[in-house]
Amino acid sequence: MESFANRYESKGKTFEPNAGHNNNTELLDHRSLGRNLGMMQQYKFFGSASFSQIQRSPLFSSLNSEDVSYFKEILGDKNVIEDEERLETANTDWMHKYKGSSKLMLLPKNTEEVSQILKYCDSRSLAVVPQGGNTGLVGGSVPVFDEVIINLSLMNKVLAFDEVSGILVCEAGCILENLATFLDTKGFIMPLDLGAKGSCHIGGNVSTNAGGLRLIRYGSLHGTVLGVEAVTANGNVLDMLGTLRKDNTGSEGSLGIVTKVSILTPPKLSSVNVAFIACNDYLSCQKILVEAKKNLGEILSAFEFLDNSSMDLVLNHLDGVRNPISSSDNFYILIETTGSDETHDREKLEAFLLKSLEKGLVSDGVIAQDINQASSFWRLREGITEALQKTGAFYKYDLSLPVEEIYNLVNDLRERLGDLANVMGYGHLGDGNLHLNISIAEYNEKVLGLIEPFVYEWTSKHRGSISAEHGLGVMKAEEIFYSKSPETVALMASIKKLLDPKGILNPYKVLPHSAFSP
């Protein structure tokens, strides 16, 4: 097993270390791309097949000078943004598919200011869009038309941390990576880890119930968020910021703007090991997942997969990356273990990999010898979206499916599109979460027509979800029936109407227009 563990170095490859997989690899340079006017003209046509059919609701008022003056009174001039360049960034999603036309961005500093903003907007029927790091993938964090942007980036304080219970209380505008850094100094970690950690806000993470890279170990935010403070559409502040582990009488999260969050964080463990292995077929990937759950059990913290198309994409478009496997293969798996006994954990991982190699499930593999090598392994997985940005146009779909069906969709879509596009599959295999990517030279109605609604119909047929962790936003609001029954959608709409009667909070998102028709 020693040769297996040390093979990484014996091949003589030089791996250029980056700052670690804590970097926000998915978001590099995405702001500068927004200045490409040619692309920006296409946003509303290629984001989704149904997006261009949305019309501005006549029930919403338009912004006037009196509105701006009021906001300056409560926020101060510098936190009422009318600058065209800053608004250009705030109006544009980072994939450059969706672009709003808001003329105003507000930067509240505390919950009271959020409350005053929403109370006023509700009285004036001014539609708003809450915004954090603007890292969403479905157009949920940018205006569709001229909605007022409420950006929570100034609400970025850690309010309390209990070093006995591990409970963190913070404001919604805290950047995920900053929280992770803070907890690291206390000997704890965030239960959530995302490729966009360097930009995304915890409020947005909670609002979308983000899954991320270590859901297999720590579960979703449903299990770690203990309470929230939120402001409803009419300006009422709901203080449900509890820190009790057992308190099941309230509702976790309402239809409003999250302003504060309390999260249960696990201790930082001393032993972290990362392996990168190659497999010949997807069936072997499934078998390895089953064996990993059995044999690594309590120390298994991540199980990620990518296909060879994804690997080729990263190798061809990102600097300083190498394939740690000596020969290419059809699939690659990244396994991370986290525990408290370095010797025991490493021996357990080595024994598992050797057993998989003997069974023919693994064709080759390496174990990282230090943190730089571990970071370079993670870079291959987390760099896929960044590499996609450098290929031209692309479509992304975030799907939950039975594990055995995941790659069947990739193969079926690949066959359907033929030479028109490059289809790639990767994601959180341990959670049944596929990130389906289609890369083409430029956005094309014909290709989009072949992708949608085929992907949604296929997913629905196999009893999957069209929104695993990225949310519905504007991209999939009209497609919700592929995953939810009409009765469920009607119930969701009734809750929306109860808490936001005028519908000013992030309109045109999540729920279909038909849900609000008389």
Side-chain angles (χ1 to χ4, degrees):
M1 193 63 220
E2 182 178 0
S3 61
F4 189 109
N6 293 327
R7 197 177 301 147
Y8 181 96
E9 296 181 321
S10 66
K11 285 197 280 282
K13 293 186 177 182
T14 302
F15 284 73
E16 297 182 20
N18 56 44
H21 80 278
N22 284 335
N23 281 351
N24 180 28
T25 57
E26 298 210 3
L27 298 169
L28 299 179
D29 301 326
H30 77 268
R31 300 302 183 197
S32 61
L33 292 175
R35 298 183 178 89
N36 186 331
L37 297 180
M39 284 182 65
M40 285 169 56
Q41 293 173 352
Q42 304 179 64
Y43 293 157
K44 287 198 174 183
F45 299 100
F46 295 100
S48 177
S50 60
F51 182 53
S52 60
Q53 301 172 11
I54 300 175
Q55 295 182 346
R56 187 184 188 280
S57 172
L59 300 177
F60 297 138
S61 301
S62 296
L63 191 72
N64 60 38
S65 59
E66 293 181 2
D67 300 326
V68 176
S69 296
Y70 173 80
F71 294 132
K72 287 182 177 179
E73 285 181 17
I74 63 173
L75 302 179
D77 289 4
K78 70 176 183 179
N79 292 331
V80 177
I81 309 302
E82 298 178 274
D83 177 71
E84 289 186 4
E85 186 172 350
R86 292 183 68 179
L87 286 171
E88 179 79 8
T89 298
N91 270 301
T92 307
D93 86 307
W94 77 269
M95 286 203 307
H96 312 287
K97 286 186 176 180
Y98 304 99
K99 184 175 185 296
S101 55
S102 177
K103 302 299 181 185
L104 193 71
M105 178 168 66
L106 307 177
L107 300 173
K109 301 184 295 297
N110 53 55
T111 301
E112 177 58 29
E113 289 183 354
V114 175
S115 174
Q116 290 179 276
I117 291 168
L118 287 181
K119 184 176 181 179
Y120 180 84
C121 289
D122 190 57
S123 69
R124 281 272 294 119
S125 295
L126 288 171
V128 303
V129 54
Q131 188 176 85
N134 197 15
T135 61
L137 297 171
V138 293
S141 58
V142 294
V144 176
F145 296 103
D146 57 349
E147 298 87 82
V148 175
I149 300 169
I150 303 176
N151 186 289
L152 303 186
S153 57
L154 297 184
M155 297 177 61
N156 56 11
K157 301 181 185 68
V158 172
L159 303 176
F161 180 68
D162 186 328
E163 296 192 35
V164 176
S165 65
I167 295 174
L168 171 76
V169 181
C170 64
E171 291 183 316
C174 290
I175 293 173
L176 180 60
E177 187 172 41
N178 292 347
L179 292 177
T181 300
F182 168 81
L183 289 169
D184 185 66
T185 66
K186 305 293 184 181
F188 286 76
I189 65 171
M190 282 296 289
L192 175 70
D193 190 12
L194 302 170
K197 64 176 71 67
S199 298
C200 65
H201 292 185
I202 191 63
N205 300 151
V206 171
S207 296
T208 57
N209 191 32
L213 300 168
R214 295 191 174 89
L215 187 142
I216 192 173
R217 175 67 175 269
Y218 299 111
S220 74
L221 287 173
H222 273 308
T224 51
V225 171
L226 302 178
V228 298
E229 177 189 84
V231 183
T232 60
N234 63 3
N236 287 344
V237 178
L238 300 180
D239 185 354
M240 300 179 293
L241 200 63
T243 57
L244 301 175
R245 291 290 302 273
K246 292 184 177 180
D247 180 12
N248 300 315
T249 59
S251 170
E252 287 196 9
S254 294
L255 295 173
I257 297 179
V258 175
T259 52
K260 296 185 180 75
V261 180
S262 63
I263 298 178
L264 180 66
T265 65
K268 180 182 179 182
L269 301 180
S270 58
S271 168
V272 179
N273 290 287
V274 180
F276 199 84
I277 59 179
C279 304
N280 185 54
D281 54 59
Y282 182 68
L283 181 60
S284 295
C285 295
Q286 297 176 65
K287 291 180 178 179
I288 293 171
L289 173 60
V290 173
E291 293 300 315
K293 288 181 176 180
K294 289 180 180 178
N295 295 286
L296 300 177
E298 78 285 355
I299 61 172
L300 181 64
S301 56
F303 194 101
E304 301 287 304
F305 94 103
L306 58 152
D307 61 13
N308 58 349
S309 296
S310 301
M311 173 66 88
D312 289 343
L313 178 82
V314 172
L315 296 178
N316 291 331
H317 291 92
L318 297 186
D319 296 329
V321 297
R322 304 283 191 279
N323 185 350
I325 307 298
S326 58
S327 58
S328 61
D329 217 322
N330 293 323
F331 295 92
Y332 300 90
I333 293 173
L334 184 150
I335 296 176
E336 181 190 76
T337 64
T338 307
S340 57
D341 187 329
E342 175 66 31
T343 301
H344 167 270
D345 296 347
R346 192 172 186 85
E347 288 178 352
K348 196 168 187 176
L349 178 60
E350 290 176 352
F352 165 73
L353 294 176
L354 182 58
K355 184 177 179 181
S356 299
L357 196 63
E358 292 171 346
K359 287 185 174 182
L361 300 177
V362 174
S363 58
D364 201 354
V366 292
I367 297 176
Q369 300 301 299
D370 55 41
I371 190 172
N372 288 332
Q373 292 180 1
S375 296
S376 69
F377 291 0
W378 274 109
R379 175 68 166 152
L380 292 168
R381 164 60 184 86
E382 291 193 314
I384 297 172
T385 298
E386 181 189 346
L388 270 172
Q389 290 181 312
K390 301 181 180 182
T391 64
F394 57 92
Y395 300 95
K396 292 178 69 70
Y397 297 88
D398 163 51
L399 310 163
S400 276
L401 287 162
V403 172
E404 66 271 16
E405 297 287 357
I406 280 180
Y407 212 73
N408 290 335
L409 173 55
V410 179
N411 286 331
D412 287 355
L413 185 61
R414 192 172 282 155
E415 181 179 350
R416 181 176 176 85
L417 295 181
D419 296 333
L420 293 174
N422 182 22
V423 179
M424 292 158 278
Y426 69 96
H428 318 300
L429 194 63
D431 317 326
N433 184 185
L434 169 68
H435 295 314
L436 179 66
N437 292 264
I438 303 97
S439 173
I440 56 176
E442 59 184 10
Y443 289 115
N444 184 298
E445 284 282 9
K446 178 183 177 181
V447 172
L448 181 58
L450 290 171
I451 299 171
E452 296 181 15
F454 174 80
V455 167
Y456 299 137
E457 291 173 344
W458 199 102
T459 302
S460 179
K461 178 182 177 181
H462 292 85
R463 300 187 65 80
S465 170
I466 65 169
S467 177
E469 62 178 2
H470 294 166
L472 291 166
V474 67
M475 174 183 173
K476 293 180 278 190
E478 297 297 326
E479 324 299 343
I480 189 173
F481 294 107
Y482 287 108
S483 294
K484 303 296 181 185
S485 69
E487 293 79 12
T488 300
V489 175
L491 179 61
M492 295 168 67
S494 68
I495 296 173
K496 167 75 171 174
K497 291 173 184 176
L498 177 65
L499 295 176
D500 183 14
K502 295 183 179 180
I504 69 165
L505 276 173
N506 219 6
Y508 321 109
K509 317 283 178 64
V510 182
L511 292 171
H513 178 72
S514 60
F516 302 101
S517 300

